[in-house]
Amino acid sequence: DTGVSQNPRHKITKRGQNVTFRCDPISEHNRLYWYRQTLGQGPEFLTYFQNEAQLEKSRLLSDRFSAERPKGSFSTLEIQRTEQGDSAMYLCASSRTAYWGEVYEKLFFGSGTQLSVL
Amino acid sequence: GQQVMQIPQYQHVQEGEDFTTYCNSSTTLSNIQWYKQRPGGHPVFLIQLVKSGEVKKQKRLTFQFGEAKKNSSLHITATQTTDVGTYFCAGPSTDKLIFGTGTRLQVFP
């Protein structure tokens, strides 16, 4: 179990530029989630994948955000035409599945990518 | 949509004092999870509660799930400096976890 890996750890970009983040989940995990966290707030759900299928995307998520998980392995999150309001920590998490009986699978988080839009 | 609120938002205590954070959901939860995020770190799973009125203990930490399954609490007895961090509750909504607003704990030696 090598854990969830995210890169880059930090990204500074100018407003209007595109950025892409990568997440490598724990290898046997089918579920992959993207969350966004700003200072003093809890993680906010963005989107999730079951294997390669993107099953839900937050209604709050702008069309400038897109995520992929080709072949059900690593995932990328792209933000086009970044805005200052996009500055946040972008967290990736994975789990084996969603439910196991009554029990919801726990999430394993990566260390996140801190995005700063100037 | 489902909302999960926590109080207090922030608490600082003297080492050795007790600490409690409360979690309230706008909807009934099938189960609830708790995570801890150390300063500069990422959320780490602590525990999951499933049954109405369930109480679980992990050393000095006591977790409780309300009878109506809409609220939960985390109580830390005799805090230590290693308890510093932000504690989040999280409940499932359809097929994802919705996180609470968090309670940031600061412990002074």
Side-chain angles (χ1 to χ4, degrees), chain A residues 9 31 33 35 37 40-45 48 55-56 59 89 91 98-99 102-112, chain B residues 1 9 30-31 33 35 37 40-45 48 50-51 69 86 88 92-102:
Chain A
R9 290 294 304 274
R31 285 280 174 121
Y33 302 82
Y35 284 85
Q37 187 176 30
Q41 300 296 316
E44 175 194 15
F45 169 78
Y48 83 91
L55 297 185
E56 187 173 343
R59 286 173 293 170
M89 174 72 80
L91 292 165
Y99 277 95
E102 284 185 305
V103 176
Y104 194 89
E105 285 284 345
K106 63 184 178 184
L107 300 187
F108 293 82
F109 281 87
S111 298
Chain B
Q9 185 176 2
S30 57
N31 52 74
Q33 297 185 4
Y35 289 77
Q37 186 172 23
H42 56 274
V44 175
F45 175 82
Q48 176 163 204
V50 178
K51 294 182 171 61
K69 301 184 80 173
T86 302
F88 294 100
S93 173
T94 55
D95 246 359
K96 65 209 180 273
L97 277 181
I98 301 299
F99 281 79
T101 47

Side-chain angles (χ1 to χ4, degrees), chain B residues 1 3-5 12 18 31 35 40 43 50 56-57 65 70-71 75 77 85 96 99-100 105-106:
Chain B
Q3 292 186 338
V4 182
M5 303 296 293
H12 63 262
D18 292 355
N31 52 74
Y35 289 77
V50 178
K56 286 188 175 180
K57 291 190 176 184
F65 201 7
K70 292 186 72 173
N71 56 72
H75 179 82
T77 304
K96 65 209 180 273
F99 281 79
L105 172 64
Q106 182 69 272

Side-chain angles (χ1 to χ4, degrees), chain B residues 23-36:
Chain B
C23 171
N24 292 286
S25 171
S26 59
T27 59
T28 301
L29 300 171
S30 57
N31 52 74
I32 194 160
Q33 297 185 4
W34 284 90
Y35 289 77
K36 177 183 178 181

Side-chain angles (χ1 to χ4, degrees), chain A residues 47-101:
Chain A
T47 188
Y48 83 91
F49 293 83
Q50 172 77 27
N51 299 313
E52 67 276 9
Q54 186 175 17
L55 297 185
E56 187 173 343
K57 188 175 174 180
S58 169
R59 286 173 293 170
L60 302 174
L61 206 58
S62 159
D63 289 343
R64 296 183 296 105
F65 288 70
S66 62
E68 293 182 342
R69 192 184 182 195
K71 301 178 184 177
S73 55
F74 71 92
S75 176
T76 58
L77 177 68
E78 181 183 16
I79 309 174
Q80 295 182 327
R81 304 180 303 283
T82 52
E83 302 173 356
Q84 288 185 324
D86 297 331
S87 296
M89 174 72 80
Y90 289 84
L91 292 165
C92 175
S94 70
S95 67
R96 289 182 300 177
T97 180
Y99 277 95
W100 185 259

